[in-house]
Amino acid sequence: MRRVVSRGSKKICGNIGLGCFRSRQRQTHHQTRRQTVGHEDFEIAPSGGGWLAKGVAEIKPPDGGSSKVSGSLTLQPDGAPISYEWSAQAEKTNGAHILFANGVASITLEMQGARAFQQNLTFNTPLIAVLDNNLYHQYAVLARIYDWSKRGVQTFPVIIPQELTPGSITVESKGSASADGKTYEGLMVTTSDLQILLLLDGNHRLMRLEVPDAKVSVVRE
């Protein structure tokens, strides 16, 4: 299957069953007027009693400056992160390894041409949302962490690994929502500076993502 990203006009079930959430996808990134600027291949699948979400995105904007980023996120059965690794290749190659334990993210950052840098970030819960730059499949994981039995506004701590940035987001069910003549279940993600609308199918799989302020859409085909 494929997802298309356009710019201008993207509980892991609590005590998840192994068949609950499995996905192997490709998504293609576009800019204004649907110019292709890259693609992302990703897979979310059971692994060792928990889950592994991994993806590789290649970005080639029309004005140059191509880059490639990969991420591999290991999760507990309830969606809490165990470890995360990312690597970004542009003019230089950078990356990091992150271990999560008891609400603490232990980060080892490796920058080309520099010594490894270590930093710890502390959160008030082990259930942390990992949402990295240009790896949109991680929003599919967020849609599974959300407690659909309770609905309403739910707050999660979040980390953006490539920026070493902690913060928080709110996630709220918006009920029925439509786009391009299709009806979805809407889930609104609100950050400190953006609102991101996740459009899900009846099984809460991410089918489309909209960032109105940035004029970005991600569509599964």
Side-chain angles (χ1 to χ4, degrees):
M1 298 179 68
R2 168 178 278 185
R3 288 187 182 171
V4 175
V5 182
S6 56
R7 181 171 301 207
S9 29
K10 192 168 193 352
K11 217 166 98 172
I12 286 181
C13 308
N15 296 325
I16 238 174
L18 291 183
C20 178
F21 188 34
R22 187 181 186 100
S23 183
R24 182 181 286 111
Q25 310 286 336
R26 164 166 282 201
Q27 60 188 20
T28 303
H29 299 244
H30 297 276
Q31 278 190 331
T32 304
R33 298 179 183 174
R34 306 188 70 83
Q35 292 178 301
T36 299
V37 297
H39 67 268
E40 177 187 5
D41 292 297
F42 67 93
E43 181 179 8
I44 305 171
S47 176
W51 291 89
L52 177 63
K54 59 183 181 180
V56 178
E58 296 186 41
I59 310 300
K60 298 179 181 179
D63 56 356
S66 64
S67 62
K68 179 178 180 180
V69 59
S70 63
S72 180
L73 175 63
T74 303
L75 302 158
Q76 296 181 18
D78 66 352
I82 298 171
S83 65
Y84 182 66
E85 295 187 9
W86 66 264
S87 176
Q89 300 173 8
E91 294 181 359
K92 294 184 177 181
T93 299
N94 304 317
H97 308 273
I98 306 175
L99 296 177
F100 297 88
N102 302 316
V104 177
S106 300
I107 305 166
T108 301
L109 180 64
E110 299 176 349
M111 309 285 287
Q112 185 175 329
R115 288 185 178 182
F117 171 78
Q118 294 186 328
Q119 179 178 349
N120 288 348
L121 299 176
T122 301
F123 301 86
N124 60 6
T125 173
L127 191 59
I128 302 161
V130 177
L131 299 174
D132 216 350
N133 294 335
N134 292 322
L135 295 172
Y136 291 98
H137 70 277
Q138 292 169 355
Y139 285 92
V141 176
L142 179 63
R144 295 290 181 165
I145 295 173
Y146 182 78
D147 191 339
W148 289 96
S149 65
K150 295 180 180 179
R151 295 183 180 264
V153 178
Q154 299 175 28
T155 301
F156 298 93
V158 64
I159 181 172
I160 305 172
Q162 291 177 56
E163 299 179 4
L164 295 179
T165 303
S168 65
I169 56 173
T170 61
V171 185
E172 182 181 10
S173 171
K174 304 303 288 185
S176 180
S178 61
D180 289 345
K182 297 181 180 180
T183 301
Y184 303 95
E185 176 95 23
L187 191 65
M188 183 66 74
V189 180
T190 302
T191 72
S192 59
D193 55 3
L194 281 178
Q195 284 195 319
I196 303 159
L197 179 61
L198 310 184
L199 299 174
L200 315 170
D201 69 7
N203 295 316
H204 299 147
R205 295 186 309 148
L206 180 61
M207 305 302 291
R208 186 180 181 114
L209 181 153
E210 303 278 355
V211 189
D213 288 348
K215 298 181 179 180
V216 171
S217 297
V218 181
V219 182
R220 174 179 291 179
E221 289 186 337

